[in-house]
Every structure is written in C-alpha cells, then in structure tokens.
Amino acid sequence: MTVAATSHLAGDDAVTEASVVRKAAWRLMPLIMVCYMFAFFDRINISFAKFQLQSDLGFSNVAYGLGASMFVVGYVIFEVPSNLLLYRVGARRWIARIMVSWGIATALMVFITTEWHFYVLRFIIGAMEAGFAPGILYYLTLWFPASFRGRVTSFMFVASAFSGIFGAPVAGLILGGLNGVAGLAGWQWLFLAGGLPCLVLGAMVFLRLDDRISDARWLSQREKDLLSAQIAHHNRDIGDHSLWGAIKQPGFLLIALVYFLLQVGSYGLNFWGPDLIKTASGGQAASVGFLTAIPYICGAISMIVIGRLSDASGERPKFVAGLAIAAAIGFFAAGIFDRQIVPLMFALALVGAGIVASIPTFWTLPAKLVTGAGAAGGIALINTLGQFGGIVSPVAVGWIKDLTGSTTPALYAIGGVCLIAAGLSLFAMPESLRRSDRKA
C-alpha cells in the first residue's frame, strides 16, 4: 500500500488517503456488491435451471447453449452505447435504469414455452443489462485512486463469487422445494427470485449513489479535495481520450484479447460446472447446488488475497498470468477426473481460485491506459470484445458434448486457452501496463 497523503481538519483529527478511501468504500461498495451479485446470478441462473428447463421444454444441449449465449449477444451489441450514455447522463440514473429493466425481463422468463421464446428473451435480458458491469468499473475509477483499485475491484467481484456460494445452494433449494408450487415449475420460481429483487435495488441505487465526488454530501470538503487530488495524481500521465483515441492506445486491443480468453474459461466454469458435478456425482439438485458453491468459495478467497498482493506490488499482468495458469491446470485436471467426484471437486476448486480471481485483477489494467470518455467507452468495448468468450464457450462445449458424449475435449481446449492468456499477459504487454502503479 502506498504511504497515504495527509491533510488536517480543524482540531487534532487527520484525514488520510486511506481513511477517505475506506469511508467511500463503506458508503458505496455494499450496495454495489449486492447489485453485482444479482447481475452475476442473472447470468448463471440459466445453468442452475438447465436440467429442469431441458426436461420440461425438451431443449437439446445445443439449444440450451445457444439460448445461454443469446444473453451475451444482446449484451455485447448494446454494451458500448450503454456506457457512453452512462457517461453523459450519470451513473446513478443509468445504473438504476439498467437494474429495473433487466429485473423485469428476467422475471418474464416464467412465460417461455418454445426455443424461440427462450432465445428472444435471453437476448432482451442481455440487452437490458448491457453496460452494467463496465459502468460500475468506470464508476469506481471516479472514486478510488489506482493504488486501491485492486482491492476495491476484488470486493466488487467477490459478489460474483457470492452468487455461486449462496446462489447455487439457494437455486437448488428453489428448484427442489418450490417445483409445482402455485402451478409454477422450480425453474420459473428461480427466474422470479433473480428478477424481482432488482426492481428494489434499482430504486436504492437511484437514492443512494452519487455521480461524482463533488456531489457527496457525506464527505467533508477537505475529504473531497484530498480524494479528488489523489485520483488526479494517479491519472497525471494518462490522457483524457475519446473512444477512438482509447482504441489506438498501445495495448488496448491486446488486453481485450486477453479478456476474451479469460472469459472463455469463466463461462466454461459458470455454465458447465453444475453439469460436470451432476454427471460425476449423480446427485439431486440441492446437493449439486452446494457442491457448485465450492469453486466460488475458493474464488472469493483468492480474489481478496490477490487483490491485496497486486495492490502491494502494482505489477498487475504477472498476477493475471499466474491466475490463468492455475485455472488451466484445474481445467486439465477436470478433464482427467470428469467421472470421479472427489478429484473433480479439487480441480474445479483450482479453476475457481484461478479464473474467478483473474477477472478483477484484469480490470485494474484498462484504467492505466485511458480516462474520461475514453475510459467509459473503452472499458465497455473491452468488456464487449471479451464477452464474445461467453458466446464461444457455451456453444462450443455444448456442441462438443453432443458430438462426443463428453465434455473432456472441451475442458482440455479451455485449459489451453487459459495458457495463451497467461503467455500474452507475461510477454506481450506494453511497458505502460507492465509498469507498477504502486507509486504512480
């Protein structure tokens, strides 16, 4: 951690960079984490509903994979425009709008009866949620200096691990316990549980978040000045780019490629982890849900530890590479032990510790290249390009499983993709990204 800058208030009290960051984090992060937890659950709830959904509606593995991917198609089409609008109208209003609209669309999943209903509504959910994650990531760059972003971003993404830790068991209980209640299948109750709370959270975002440090009535003027000055200090060598200017920055498209490769691994775990566990264990929905939580528990622990270590060193690409290598080893092991539940769980735990924690560590990189409108649009574009991994991974794994009767070849391929991401992170990053930001 950097030595905190200090200024003095009236009396003997002191305001430090660390104390103001801590105050801002306690104000902003709990609500952001809960919102992101529901956003991530909105992406992966389809994997928990898979078995009942396919059984009730007669969907093949290819149809399921295509429907899962349609979310990402809608998401990537509207991602950049959404974040540019967020930059113009303010995060508070736009994030609240995103949450309310995707909550309504998710709840409407109870009405699907055909494959085309499934495809269209998943596309709409993705379109409505577009811009949420990069919008939050951009928002954090307005509030937290670079030397704290590893931890802050990790805490945000811990919420995605919570979606697996708590979401998987709760999903299992809903699927098993509410199946048939009020004439609805368990998978229909699952989508209601994921969508309706977002309406309340959207209202809370509108009432509680502030667009800028200068708007924060819960900070004193000296606290505002200190926090603004520290952020400006860390950004002093970074230009305020347009979106096109951001794209032309050395390393921009490279980190987008790395994110694409990491997302292939992430979606491989999110969409097919429960299927692997179900096949290896033969368990019921509730037990599969509890076992599915294990990789996300490991991911949550890894996020917190790596977030602190990467802030301490400031050398972000090395940590991204190490985590990608760990995930690759886990995927290879999962392929070897795909029919043996105990070693499979150890393999998936390693995948979780690696691929889940690699995402927040990766997101400390774009802010080292761009600020302003370039950051808003650039972060969204990187996320958009990366999210194509969410299209490739579910469809490819589903196709391979239907073709061969096994997910093992796909697991080996995903492991190889993670190794490529590690190699690019270690050896291809430009100096501006490899340079430590610990004393920026």
Side-chain angles (χ1 to χ4, degrees):
M1 183 181 297
T2 58
V3 177
T6 306
S7 64
H8 291 277
L9 294 171
D12 297 326
D13 293 334
V15 173
T16 66
E17 181 186 26
S19 69
V20 180
V21 166
R22 189 180 305 114
K23 187 174 182 179
W26 276 110
R27 170 76 183 195
L28 303 176
M29 293 311 296
L31 179 56
I32 287 174
M33 289 175 68
V34 173
C35 291
Y36 195 77
M37 182 173 68
F38 274 89
F40 193 79
F41 185 74
D42 192 46
R43 300 184 187 190
I44 65 173
N45 56 12
I46 193 68
S47 67
F48 302 132
K50 177 179 184 292
F51 303 112
Q52 280 192 8
L53 192 67
Q54 287 186 283
S55 176
D56 288 354
L57 302 180
F59 293 170
S60 68
N61 283 318
V62 171
Y64 164 77
L66 180 57
S69 298
M70 288 305 295
F71 171 95
V72 184
V73 174
Y75 196 94
V76 300
I77 289 174
F78 293 98
E79 179 98 317
V80 173
S82 178
N83 232 38
L84 291 175
L85 282 169
L86 179 145
Y87 179 76
R88 289 180 178 274
V89 307
R92 180 174 63 94
R93 295 180 181 86
W94 197 247
I95 292 172
R97 191 283 304 165
I98 289 173
M99 297 205 65
V100 171
S101 60
W102 105 54
I104 293 171
T106 297
L108 290 175
M109 282 286 290
V110 300
F111 296 111
I112 66 170
T113 57
T114 69
E115 290 181 6
W116 281 107
H117 293 165
F118 182 40
Y119 301 153
V120 170
L121 201 49
R122 288 292 294 174
F123 175 87
I124 292 172
I125 295 170
M128 293 301 99
E129 191 181 321
F132 175 78
I136 292 292
L137 288 164
Y138 169 69
Y139 183 68
L140 295 181
T141 68
L142 304 180
W143 284 89
F144 297 100
S147 55
F148 290 88
R149 286 180 193 151
R151 278 160 289 182
V152 170
T153 307
S154 292
F155 276 112
M156 171 187 158
F157 280 95
V158 162
S160 66
F162 284 163
S163 283
I165 295 169
F166 299 113
V170 169
L173 293 173
I174 290 173
L175 290 168
L178 294 182
N179 192 32
V181 173
L184 298 178
W187 61 267
Q188 292 173 306
W189 282 110
L190 185 63
F191 289 121
L192 286 175
L196 296 181
C198 295
L199 307 183
V200 176
L201 289 170
M204 292 178 66
V205 165
F206 185 79
L207 295 173
R208 187 165 179 83
L209 294 190
D210 296 294
D211 288 321
R212 297 172 295 274
I213 293 173
S214 59
D215 297 332
R217 289 176 293 180
W218 42 274
L219 289 175
S220 70
Q221 188 57 52
R222 293 198 180 189
E223 288 172 327
K224 294 177 186 179
D225 292 343
L226 175 60
L227 193 56
S228 298
Q230 289 302 306
I231 292 172
H233 174 71
H234 283 278
N235 291 345
R236 67 190 185 279
D237 296 325
I238 305 172
D240 189 350
H241 300 91
S242 65
L243 176 58
W244 179 242
I247 293 171
K248 293 190 294 184
Q249 287 297 299
F252 182 90
L253 294 178
L254 174 65
I255 61 175
L257 173 60
V258 169
Y259 191 56
F260 166 82
L261 299 173
L262 294 176
Q263 285 295 80
V264 170
S266 179
Y267 276 88
L269 173 64
N270 295 340
F271 283 110
W272 295 99
D275 186 64
L276 288 168
I277 294 169
K278 171 74 173 178
T279 302
S281 68
Q284 300 300 311
S287 61
V288 171
F290 281 104
L291 289 174
T292 302
I294 292 174
Y296 297 98
I297 293 172
C298 296
I301 296 169
S302 181
M303 278 186 198
I304 295 170
V305 172
I306 297 300
R308 297 187 70 87
L309 292 175
S310 70
D311 274 349
S313 74
E315 297 178 354
R316 316 294 187 172
K318 292 181 180 179
F319 286 91
V320 173
L323 292 166
I325 290 170
I329 295 170
F331 278 116
F332 294 143
I336 294 171
F337 300 111
D338 65 329
R339 302 287 176 173
Q340 303 172 53
I341 188 60
V342 174
L344 175 66
M345 291 312 304
F346 278 104
L348 292 179
L350 184 58
V351 170
I355 202 67
V356 173
S358 71
I359 303 301
T361 308
F362 167 86
W363 277 116
T364 61
L365 295 175
K368 299 177 76 168
L369 293 177
V370 289
T371 61
I379 288 172
L381 182 58
I382 290 170
N383 196 53
T384 298
L385 297 175
Q387 289 299 323
F388 280 103
I391 299 174
V392 171
S393 190
V395 173
V397 175
W399 178 76
I400 290 172
K401 185 174 182 180
D402 280 344
L403 185 66
T404 66
S406 171
T407 55
T408 297
L411 294 173
Y412 293 155
I414 293 173
V417 164
C418 291
L419 288 181
I420 295 172
L424 292 174
S425 299
L426 280 177
F427 304 115
M429 293 289 179
E431 175 61 27
S432 59
L433 291 171
R434 288 188 285 111
R435 184 172 57 244
S436 173
D437 57 32
R438 183 173 181 266
K439 296 180 179 179

